[in-house]
Amino acid sequence: MSGGEARDAKKLVRSPSGLRMVPEHRSARSPFGLDEPPWVPDKECPRCMQCDTKFDFITRKHHCRRCGKCFCDKCCSKKVPLPRMCFVDPVRQCAECALISQKETEFYDKQLKVLMNGKVMIHFFPGATFFVTLGTSDKSELMVCRLSNNQRYLVLDGDSHYEIEIIQISTVQILTEGFTPGGGNSRAIGMVLHYRVPGSQELTQMKFTAGEDFSCNKKLSAAWLAAMHKVS
């Protein structure tokens, strides 16, 4: 097993909330991950925290796996995937948390997969291709961009190689064209991001521009930029 594979290795653990597939090393944890919340102690929760129904032998209490609050079965009946906590199976959540988790599942099922392994129709590509300009330089370099397998780094490969830690990215601006004051469709043609290099407090700028000469990559580039916008 290579060093990278070892760092990305995962293990199956059991918690009071269910089975979770988590990274063996905390340093490999996804920046999109969430810790399991502490549960509100049973003795502090005599009534449902949503509808105020009193708990008794018939009306049992349930804890939402996302917020840790205490609810009756009616207010906490949904079982929804919760990938941000690495649960293997859908878990019980209150109505409010279930709605949030359902929206996030779309991000994990669609946008995140595009960032890690680009897909156009039925074809997969190891990332999206852009002309990348660093700082105030007037020179750009053709690079393939993708998210690392552990979702922690934005990886750029060309003649040069960059790995930008996602948590160090402070701003993401999507560049568009085609918009008119009277309305009309616009399309993403690039992005500008600012990030901090470890050990420095100053922000570094990087500009990504989709190449017009790569018609087969236009859809992927646009999808990749849209997904990156969701991340920000």
Side-chain angles (χ1 to χ4, degrees), residues 12-29:
L12 189 65
V13 299
R14 182 181 294 277
S15 75
S17 300
L19 288 174
R20 302 171 65 215
M21 185 66 74
V22 301
E24 286 193 356
H25 303 281
R26 190 170 181 83
S27 61
R29 179 180 171 180

Side-chain angles (χ1 to χ4, degrees), residues 174-185:
I174 302 299
L175 306 176
T176 62
E177 70 174 11
F179 177 79
T180 60
N185 294 325

Side-chain angles (χ1 to χ4, degrees), residues 163-171 193-205:
E163 293 186 7
I164 303 172
E165 195 168 8
I166 294 296
I167 61 173
Q168 296 297 334
I169 297 176
S170 60
T171 61
L193 60 82
H194 294 89
Y195 65 96
R196 285 185 173 83
V197 176
S200 173
Q201 294 300 314
E202 296 184 0
L203 290 177
T204 299
Q205 175 179 295

Side-chain angles (χ1 to χ4, degrees), residues 27-203:
S27 61
R29 179 180 171 180
S30 167
F32 308 118
L34 290 176
D35 288 325
E36 286 187 79
W39 284 9
V40 174
D42 287 351
K43 63 181 180 180
E44 296 179 10
C45 189
R47 295 177 178 273
C48 174
M49 299 180 76
Q50 176 64 39
C51 69
D52 205 38
T53 296
K54 185 177 180 180
F55 295 123
D56 53 30
F57 183 75
I58 297 176
T59 305
R60 308 296 297 274
K61 61 185 64 175
H62 302 278
H63 286 86
C64 172
R65 272 48 175 174
R66 186 181 180 106
C67 68
K69 294 180 180 179
C70 213
F71 303 91
C72 66
D73 183 70
K74 181 179 178 181
C75 294
C76 194
S77 61
K78 294 180 179 294
K79 288 193 174 182
V80 179
L82 187 46
R84 292 188 70 184
M85 290 185 190
C86 302
F87 283 110
V88 174
D89 300 308
V91 291
R92 187 185 292 269
Q93 298 177 57
C94 66
E96 183 177 351
C97 286
L99 183 60
I100 296 172
S101 294
Q102 286 169 342
K103 291 180 179 179
E104 290 176 348
T105 297
E106 179 182 354
F107 167 74
Y108 272 81
D109 287 346
K110 296 180 181 179
Q111 284 86 8
L112 197 57
K113 289 181 179 179
V114 169
L115 290 173
M116 295 175 68
N117 290 292
K119 179 180 179 182
V120 177
M121 300 302 286
I122 61 173
H123 301 289
F124 288 87
F125 300 87
T129 303
F130 296 94
F131 286 105
V132 178
T133 306
L134 184 64
T136 58
S137 173
D138 57 358
K139 296 182 179 180
S140 61
E141 181 179 341
L142 186 63
M143 308 192 80
V144 175
C145 309
R146 63 177 178 83
L147 197 64
S148 64
N149 290 336
N150 61 18
Q151 304 162 11
R152 291 179 59 87
Y153 296 91
L154 184 60
V155 181
L156 295 82
D157 280 308
D159 290 336
S160 305
H161 176 80
Y162 298 99
E163 293 186 7
I164 303 172
E165 195 168 8
I166 294 296
I167 61 173
Q168 296 297 334
I169 297 176
S170 60
T171 61
V172 177
Q173 176 190 1
I174 302 299
L175 306 176
T176 62
E177 70 174 11
F179 177 79
T180 60
N185 294 325
S186 61
R187 67 186 183 94
I189 60 170
M191 73 175 180
V192 176
L193 60 82
H194 294 89
Y195 65 96
R196 285 185 173 83
V197 176
S200 173
Q201 294 300 314
E202 296 184 0
L203 290 177

